[in-house]
Amino acid sequence: MIDYSALFRISYGLYIVCSGNREHGNGFISNTVFQVTSEPVKIAVTCSKKNFSADLIRQTGAFSISVLHTQAAPELFGRFGFRSGRDFDKLAGLDLHYDETTGVPMVTDGSMAVIVCRLEQSFDVGTHLIYVGETVQTRMLDPDKTPMTYDWYRQNRKGIAPPNAPTYVDKSKFGMK
Amino acid sequence: MIDYSALFRISYGLYIVCSGNREHGNGFISNTVFQVTSEPVKIAVTCSKKNFSADLIRQTGAFSISVLHTQAAPELFGRFGFRSGRDFDKLAGLDLHYDETTGVPMVTDGSMAVIVCRLEQSFDVGTHLIYVGETVQTRMLDPDKTPMTYDWYRQNRKGIAPPNAPTYVDKSKFGMK
């Protein structure tokens, strides 16, 4: 038996994962960003196969991770978590940096640190892909902020995971409120 | 350039990952446990190839995850994080449950929830393996506790990651204190 409340005790941060370039970039909200090795520093991100970013990360061969802080504007979640980059330029009007070597955009709005990875491996786990990249650059933007955790987001913003998230729960199926 | 302080802004929980059976079980402390799909519920754990558990998880074909809470005894970290199951029975004397279908032990000491997965895939990312399993059982042990995060552990227990952890930083290399 699966008690979904137990799964909610796994801890996550919240991030914007971007790929593409200066002409055409895109990003999505992710809670599944994890360092998987330290020598070299490799980081894994999980992405729904339905996400526009799934193809774009592969095409770009790189991705950036923006670590959201607790003062990040709620608007970022609507923009990156609940709309598709197929029919909307999610990066329009935001503060962006571009990585010199890979060219990937990094969102700096609402972010306390950014990490850039060159894509090395992708693993198919069913509905989602795990992308693993070697870190080529990290930068601290605002060390005094507090990283936003998924738990904090649920408690303080009453936020939920969008349907493409690895941790999405269809509450109608389980009689949850 | 890699600023390691930026990597510390990635959020993690803390877990004991166990495998084996009633006669011979073992476990290790992990901070890299994350759900990767929701239909079905699949969970990834990262394990150093040097860990005794790396082989044991494969042999067992299953693993359990105990979600540690903030009142977990410091002794658990010494036992599971800094000693090897090759020369020490890490599970001796602990409160254990055993999963009925897979037989894997679950540590309930210091834990607020347990999750049992049947191993489905393993991915080689260099020094570490990512094991992905389908969840066969979850159980809430103590919903009123607070999950221990790696950030909380670092702040309150002054804990560090052991050398086999995916997030280990050899501070002597980087002039860090």
Side-chain angles (χ1 to χ4, degrees), chain B residues 116-147:
Chain B
V116 178
C117 296
R118 193 183 306 278
L119 179 64
E120 291 220 327
Q121 294 170 289
S122 65
F123 304 119
D124 188 331
V125 290
T127 55
H128 289 66
L129 297 161
I130 300 176
Y131 284 120
V132 173
E134 184 168 335
T135 303
V136 294
Q137 186 202 152
T138 68
R139 199 187 315 167
M140 183 63 78
L141 302 173
D142 195 341
D144 297 328
K145 291 283 199 307
T146 301

Side-chain angles (χ1 to χ4, degrees), chain B residues 51-95:
Chain B
N51 276 1
F52 182 53
S53 286
D55 287 332
L56 195 61
I57 289 172
R58 189 164 29 225
Q59 288 162 21
T60 308
F63 54 89
S64 73
I65 296 155
S66 298
V67 181
L68 294 170
H69 58 63
T70 50
Q71 290 167 46
E75 187 269 336
L76 288 171
F77 291 85
R79 180 191 283 250
F80 283 101
F82 293 88
R83 297 185 64 175
S84 172
R86 287 188 187 86
D87 40 49
F88 170 60
D89 181 358
K90 293 190 188 182
L91 302 184
L94 293 181
D95 290 337

